[in-house]
Amino acid sequence: MMEPHFDLDTRAGLPADLRALLENYPREHWSGHENLGQTAQFWLGRHDMFRELGAALQDALRQHREGQVALDPFRRWFAPRLNVFLGELEGHHQIEDQHYFPVFQRAESRLAHGFDLLESDHAVIHADLLAVAETANHFLALEEAGEAKPSSEARRAADAYAAASEQLLKRLIRHLADEEDLIIPLILDRGEAAIGI
């Protein structure tokens, strides 16, 4: 059984033992800090992009389901952006797991279990990505094959996609915040060059 503070669905933030640097470098002091280098700024920008694109995809689905956007323009806008979102998020996590997390762990071994937590999140989110891709493909195939008014099967497929997407985004938002709260204070404390990024 997963430790409660590791559970992405129930935790409200990082466990207390991982927040020491965050207490020294709270979020309101990150912007403009001399050690917030280009790599950290790029990485935070990627996180913001995932948040924004995830919200835009949810809003587009809502508009389509409420009849505000017809299938063809919805599909032309939605499908390529969903593909970008899923592919970029998967690639982002792979780079973190294979390169950045090991570098950060070498810089501060006391945070090692924090990176275990984040890697555990990545496994959960990967399964969510697969579920979102599967349910989106089914939903879009039924929508395209359907009539002017969606069938009950198409509505159920849209519901399944919406549920999978909502779960992914809820987990992703928690994960991104915790990841930033663990890593950015370390970068601010040591500097990118000293850490090796």
Side-chain angles (χ1 to χ4, degrees):
M1 184 171 169
M2 185 178 291
E3 294 181 53
H5 65 272
F6 268 54
D7 189 340
L8 190 51
D9 291 322
T10 60
R11 73 175 190 253
L14 291 173
D17 63 320
L18 295 175
R19 291 195 304 261
L21 282 173
L22 181 61
E23 291 170 11
N24 294 335
Y25 300 97
R27 278 183 177 261
E28 58 269 16
H29 297 278
W30 294 359
S31 181
H33 191 285
E34 66 183 356
N35 284 345
L36 189 68
Q38 290 181 341
T39 301
Q41 290 177 41
F42 173 78
W43 181 72
L44 287 169
R46 297 292 290 170
H47 282 195
D48 287 343
M49 182 273 297
F50 292 128
R51 290 178 179 106
E52 291 165 11
L53 185 52
L57 288 164
Q58 275 191 313
D59 189 54
L61 177 65
R62 179 194 56 76
Q63 289 179 32
H64 172 63
R65 293 183 78 191
E66 291 175 358
Q68 297 173 16
V69 179
L71 176 61
D72 190 49
F74 166 75
R75 186 182 181 88
R76 280 195 320 264
W77 186 92
F78 183 82
R81 284 165 182 82
L82 179 61
N83 284 336
V84 166
F85 178 78
L86 298 176
E88 290 293 319
L89 184 56
E90 179 69 11
H92 178 78
H93 285 171
Q94 288 174 354
I95 290 168
E96 288 175 338
D97 289 343
Q98 294 169 12
H99 176 70
Y100 287 107
F101 290 178
V103 170
F104 291 131
Q105 287 183 60
R106 284 191 297 276
E108 183 51 78
S109 61
R110 291 176 295 179
L111 298 178
H113 68 286
F115 293 99
D116 292 341
L117 178 144
L118 297 176
E119 287 180 4
S120 174
D121 288 356
H122 287 178
V124 170
I125 290 169
H126 176 75
D128 286 344
L129 291 172
L130 297 176
V132 165
E134 181 181 329
T135 58
N137 286 334
H138 184 63
F139 154 63
L140 291 171
L142 288 174
E143 285 269 320
E144 189 169 299
E147 302 154 16
K149 184 174 182 180
S151 67
S152 59
E153 183 182 8
R155 283 193 297 278
R156 283 192 302 277
D159 290 344
Y161 167 74
S165 176
E166 184 176 325
Q167 177 172 279
L168 167 64
L169 291 174
K170 178 182 175 230
R171 289 172 169 171
L172 180 62
I173 296 304
R174 170 78 273 142
H175 166 74
L176 294 175
D178 291 348
E179 191 170 82
E180 292 164 2
D181 287 348
L182 185 69
I183 293 171
I184 295 299
L186 177 61
I187 291 171
L188 299 183
D189 190 63
R190 308 284 171 81
E192 291 184 356
I195 290 171
I197 58 170

